[in-house]
Amino acid sequence: MSPYAMTRTLPEDATGAALRADVLHGLTGSPKTLPPKWFYDAHGSDLFDEITTLPEYYPTRAEREILVARATEIAAATGARTLVELGSGSSDKTRHLLDAFPELTTYIPVDVSESALRGAAKLLLAEHPALDIHALVADFTRALVLPTTPGPRLVAFLGGTIGNLLPEERAEFLTSVRGLLSPGDFFLLGTDLVKDEATLVAAYDDRAGVTAAFNKNVLTVVNRELDADFDLGAFDHVAVWDPEREWIEMRLRSTVAQTVKVPALDLAVNFAAGETLRTEVSAKFRREGVQAELAAAGLELVRWWPDSEGRFTLSLSSVPAA
């Protein structure tokens, strides 16, 4: 294998087609919704990077603490020679793992953004010139076909992103991950934990208003890509804790009665004053719940590493012995 290769499994217009489908489905549903993946154009990614540095937003710091403290232990427990990272983005956190895995030969970052994959690969190859990188331009929520690489494999899904999936979506996703694993392979999962409501809400509604700008950026994306006429000033950012479902919901609340036009979809959408548009669900977890969801997908929890304050955890699971 050459030091760097890229495989595209998404059609060239896959992103545009998915956006059109998601906006049509979400804005004609009840309640109205938009998926959180559309936050992340270049500006949205910059805003999220800023969010991760805010004092209220603990998940990134907590996960990095675990990675720094446990990377060597993760390497010893898995003996991985191939690391597969789902939703890899800039691969920033990956460095903590790459530096700790003495047997690692291959890294497979998976992301929908080809530019993010190329940028990350350039930096990683400068730091690890002997590493084989095979990037996949793909949607990790759909069935993946991985290149043939040395085992054991460690599939990593970091950042607590699994919390953005609804329960039925999580079940489908975890089952697909199980399908990528052979006996002796492992799955490393980042999950944000249930904690007091004030801490959770503050993490998604910071005093500086960065998360509010990030939330409204989804409207900017729809305006730009679908020629819509959302007035960002006519929507307020809202973050609420749902204690029954144990998740944070981010919403945009219409401040007035209004009609939004989306010409690319030949669509007019009426909003009542006070009506909300849900843009993100961020589920929080307990150990017993994570273990049960993994088991339902055919995976066995073997390690549980919380951060020092018990806010966030990395878990390691494997295919049970026959």
Side-chain angles (χ1 to χ4, degrees):
M1 184 184 291
S2 64
Y4 176 70
M6 177 177 287
T7 300
R8 169 178 281 277
T9 64
L10 292 176
E12 287 295 335
D13 188 42
T15 300
L19 175 63
R20 291 190 293 273
D22 285 345
V23 172
L24 181 61
H25 175 76
L27 294 186
T28 57
S30 181
K32 296 180 177 70
T33 62
L34 287 173
K37 63 183 176 182
W38 301 117
F39 292 137
Y40 295 95
D41 63 352
H43 181 57
S45 296
D46 288 343
L47 286 170
F48 184 72
D49 287 344
E50 187 176 351
I51 287 169
T52 65
T53 68
L54 296 171
E56 297 97 332
Y57 194 80
Y58 60 85
T60 302
R61 291 190 299 277
E63 186 177 50
R64 184 178 293 113
E65 175 197 310
I66 304 167
L67 285 167
V68 170
R70 302 292 187 176
T72 301
E73 193 174 342
I74 295 167
T78 63
R81 298 181 65 201
T82 294
L83 172 62
V84 181
E85 185 177 5
L86 306 178
S88 56
S90 66
S91 297
D92 181 56
K93 294 177 237 181
T94 315
R95 289 170 171 79
H96 301 300
L97 294 174
L98 295 180
D99 292 339
F101 279 67
E103 305 300 324
L104 196 73
T105 65
T106 307
Y107 173 51
I108 304 175
V110 181
D111 204 274
V112 295
S113 172
E114 182 173 339
S115 61
L117 289 169
R118 290 191 185 281
K122 182 178 180 181
L123 292 173
L124 290 176
L125 284 171
E127 298 168 3
H128 301 274
L131 187 67
D132 286 329
I133 298 179
H134 192 133
L136 292 183
V137 184
D139 183 345
F140 64 75
T141 65
R142 300 179 182 180
L144 292 176
V145 177
L146 298 177
T148 301
T149 57
R153 282 175 168 171
L154 172 63
V155 175
F157 190 41
L158 304 176
T161 307
I162 194 168
N164 296 146
L165 303 178
L166 297 172
E168 59 273 19
E169 295 170 333
R170 291 202 303 269
E172 184 177 349
F173 168 74
L174 291 172
T175 299
S176 72
V177 169
R178 168 62 184 88
L180 299 175
L181 304 178
S182 300
D185 292 343
F186 292 86
F187 177 47
L188 184 68
L189 177 65
T191 47
D192 197 5
L193 301 178
V194 174
K195 56 189 68 65
D196 68 279
E197 180 177 351
T199 298
L200 287 166
V201 171
Y204 294 84
D205 193 11
D206 62 276
R207 288 172 291 181
V210 183
T211 310
F214 176 68
N215 194 7
K216 290 185 180 186
N217 192 61
V218 72
L219 304 183
T220 300
V221 170
V222 175
N223 282 351
R224 181 182 65 241
E225 301 298 329
L226 301 180
D227 199 28
D229 62 355
F230 278 102
D231 176 2
L232 274 62
F235 289 86
D236 288 337
H237 166 69
V238 180
V240 295
W241 170 244
D242 184 328
E244 180 179 345
R245 295 183 175 93
E246 295 192 323
W247 68 37
I248 286 281
E249 283 193 15
M250 286 211 316
R251 305 172 185 167
L252 291 168
R253 182 173 57 215
S254 180
T255 59
V256 296
Q258 58 181 308
T259 298
V260 175
K261 295 182 177 62
V262 189
L265 300 176
D266 193 25
L267 183 66
V269 185
N270 295 319
F271 285 87
E275 184 179 358
T276 60
L277 166 67
R278 189 180 74 193
T279 54
E280 182 177 88
V281 162
S282 185
K284 309 306 171 187
F285 297 88
R286 303 176 189 270
R287 178 171 180 160
E288 56 271 25
V290 173
Q291 187 167 3
E293 291 193 35
L294 290 169
L299 294 166
E300 181 179 6
L301 181 66
V302 293
R303 295 283 198 283
W304 182 263
W305 293 297
D307 73 293
S308 59
E309 296 183 37
R311 301 166 295 178
F312 195 97
T313 192
L314 290 180
S315 63
L316 189 68
S317 56
S318 66
V319 179

